[in-house]
Amino acid sequence: MEIDKNVDTLSEGQVDELIKKNIIMTSLEAVFNWARGNSLWPLSSGLACCAIEMMATGASRFDMSRFGYEVFRPSPRQADLIIIAGTLTWKMAPAIQRVYEQMPEPKWIIAMGSCACTGGPFADSYAVVPGVDKVIPVDVYVPGCPPRPEALLDGFLKLKAKIQNPTKVGLKHGK
Amino acid sequence: MANNLLDQFSQDELAARLQAEVEVSGEGVSRAVVVPKEQLLAVMEKLLREPDFAFDMLSDLTSVDRKDAGFEVVYQLFSLKHLCDLRVKTRTAAEEAQVPTVTGIWPGADWMEREVFDLMGVTFAGHPNMTRLLLPDEFEGHPLRKDFKLQPRA
C-alpha cells in the first residue's frame, strides 16, 4: 500500500488495511505517555502513618503490581513519582524538596492523606507544612486519614489518566 | 517496682548527705528534690558518684513554665544499682532562663537539653552545642512557653 508523504490523515480503508497487517499508527508522544502512565516508579519514601498504608498498597492484598506500579525505587534518580505519605514538617521540607529536585523529568507528585494535602489535624501547628503544595507542586491529592489502599490506587489511576491525556489537564509533558 | 529515694531519706538527711540546701516538694509520685541552681552541679555529681545513691541513668530531662515563678528544669534520675528513682528540680528566673549543663555528668543529657532549649528557651551554660533540635534553625520563639502565640492562618 502506498502512503503519500503529504497526507495528514489516512482514509478508513487504508487504516483497515494496515490493521490487517498488525500495524497501528500513532504519535511518539502518545506512546510515551501511555508507557509512562502504565509504569510509574514511585520513590520509597514515607513520613508517617500513611507510609504504612502505602506499604499495604504495595503488598499482596492490594497489589499495586496489577497496574505496573510496584517498582518502588530507593533512589530519586530512578523514580518518576514521589508519594508524600504523611506529615511534612518545616524541618523535613528542605530534604523532601531536595529529593524531588534530584528526580529526573518527567516526574509527578501524589499528596497522600490529609496532612500532605492541607496539614490535616496539624494545620494550625507551628511545625507542620499546611499542605505540601506550599513546597512542591502536587499532581493528585488523595484525601483520608489515612486513605485506604483502594484510595491510593484510585489516586494512581487518576494520575495515569492525567499523564495519558496531557492536553486535557495542561501538563507540561506532551503537546 | 522501683522504690523512691525519698522513702529512705528525710529532707534533712538528704541535705546533710548532699551538703546543699535541698527541699522536698510535691506529694506521692510527684515528689521531687528542689535544688538551688548554684548547687545543682555539686548535688548531681554526688548523686552519681556516692555508692549509696549511684544514680547512673538520667532517664528524662524536661522543663515546666511556671509563668511568674520562672522556669523549672526537671531531672528524672534512676539508679540501676539500687533500682531507685529520684526526681530533681531546679528553678531559674524567666528573664535569665539559664541553668548549668549536666552533660559533663550524664552525656545523654546532650539532646534532652537541646530539646528544652528548642521548645522552652532555657539555655544550658557550658553545653557543647546549644542549638535547636526539633525545629528549623530559623524558627523564632519557643513554642512550649505559655506566652507563645500561634500564628493565625491566612
Side-chain angles (χ1 to χ4, degrees):
Chain A
M1 181 183 72
E2 286 291 314
I3 299 176
D4 194 336
K5 285 201 177 74
N6 299 324
V7 171
D8 281 340
T9 54
L10 302 174
S11 72
E12 274 197 33
Q14 288 172 309
V15 171
D16 286 343
E17 213 171 314
L18 285 173
I19 286 176
K20 276 179 197 145
K21 294 176 182 162
N22 237 357
I23 296 169
I24 55 169
M25 295 184 78
T26 176
S27 68
L28 265 185
E29 200 60 52
V31 172
F32 281 153
N33 285 335
W34 175 84
R36 284 167 185 157
N38 279 309
S39 67
L40 290 164
W41 285 19
L43 188 74
S44 323
S45 81
L47 297 172
C49 6
C50 275
I52 308 284
E53 217 69 15
M54 183 175 76
M55 294 171 210
T57 315
S60 49
R61 184 173 177 185
F62 295 97
D63 191 19
M64 292 164 76
S65 315
R66 291 180 287 162
F67 307 99
Y69 302 153
E70 78 278 27
V71 197
F72 273 96
R73 304 312 289 173
S75 157
R77 304 283 183 212
Q78 302 170 355
D80 55 7
L81 166 68
I82 182 168
I83 306 169
I84 310 296
T87 319
L88 183 67
T89 58
W90 286 112
K91 180 103 170 181
M92 186 67 188
I96 284 284
Q97 242 173 318
R98 183 171 176 173
V99 165
Y100 171 70
E101 281 160 10
Q102 285 172 345
M103 287 163 61
E105 291 272 2
K107 54 191 171 184
W108 298 276
I109 297 177
I110 291 180
M112 180 182 179
S114 299
C115 295
C117 291
T118 62
F122 313 109
D124 294 320
S125 136
Y126 50 83
V128 172
V129 181
V132 297
D133 48 13
K134 292 264 185 295
V135 180
I136 45 177
V138 173
D139 288 291
V140 173
Y141 297 83
V142 181
C145 186
R148 282 188 55 89
E150 297 94 320
L152 181 60
L153 286 175
D154 186 57
F156 268 101
L157 297 181
K158 291 276 187 295
L159 182 61
K160 174 180 175 175
K162 223 175 148 166
I163 294 166
Q164 294 185 348
N165 303 288
T167 46
K168 283 186 190 165
V169 290
L171 272 184
K172 57 187 172 182
H173 313 295
K175 285 179 184 170
Chain B
M1 183 73 195
N3 51 358
N4 191 316
L5 190 80
L6 295 173
D7 295 332
Q8 302 164 38
F9 294 91
S10 71
Q11 178 176 312
D12 295 341
E13 285 170 336
L14 265 185
R17 288 291 297 268
L18 299 169
Q19 295 160 16
E21 304 156 30
V22 300
E23 56 169 291
V24 175
S25 79
E27 287 180 10
V29 289
S30 51
R31 278 174 303 171
V33 176
V34 183
V35 183
K37 71 174 181 180
E38 294 72 26
Q39 301 175 330
L40 179 77
L41 283 186
V43 167
M44 291 301 205
E45 194 70 40
K46 285 199 182 72
L47 285 173
L48 171 68
R49 307 270 176 229
E50 290 211 8
D52 285 350
F53 301 138
F55 284 103
D56 44 8
M57 180 171 154
L58 173 71
S59 40
D60 200 8
L61 188 163
T62 181
S63 61
V64 185
D65 185 349
R66 295 287 182 194
K67 289 191 171 172
D68 296 339
F71 299 106
E72 262 173 13
V73 181
V74 185
Y75 303 82
Q76 187 67 42
L77 307 179
F78 185 73
S79 168
L80 293 161
K81 183 178 164 188
H82 303 298
L83 297 182
C84 180
D85 267 318
L86 180 67
R87 184 175 295 175
V88 180
K89 288 182 181 178
T90 186
R91 297 196 174 109
T92 175
E95 308 78 60
E96 189 183 17
Q98 186 172 69
V99 296
T101 179
V102 295
T103 47
I105 301 169
W106 296 282
D110 186 336
W111 282 16
M112 300 180 186
E113 289 183 349
R114 281 178 62 192
E115 182 190 24
V116 170
F117 164 70
D118 189 354
L119 300 177
M120 196 65 95
V122 177
T123 52
F124 292 84
H127 189 285
N129 180 22
M130 195 80 273
T131 53
R132 286 190 184 274
L133 176 72
L134 298 169
L135 292 168
D137 288 341
E138 64 271 14
F139 191 88
E140 286 175 16
H142 302 283
L144 252 42
R145 286 189 174 194
K146 293 210 160 134
D147 59 7
F148 182 84
K149 290 277 178 288
L150 278 177
Q151 297 298 316
R153 292 183 74 195

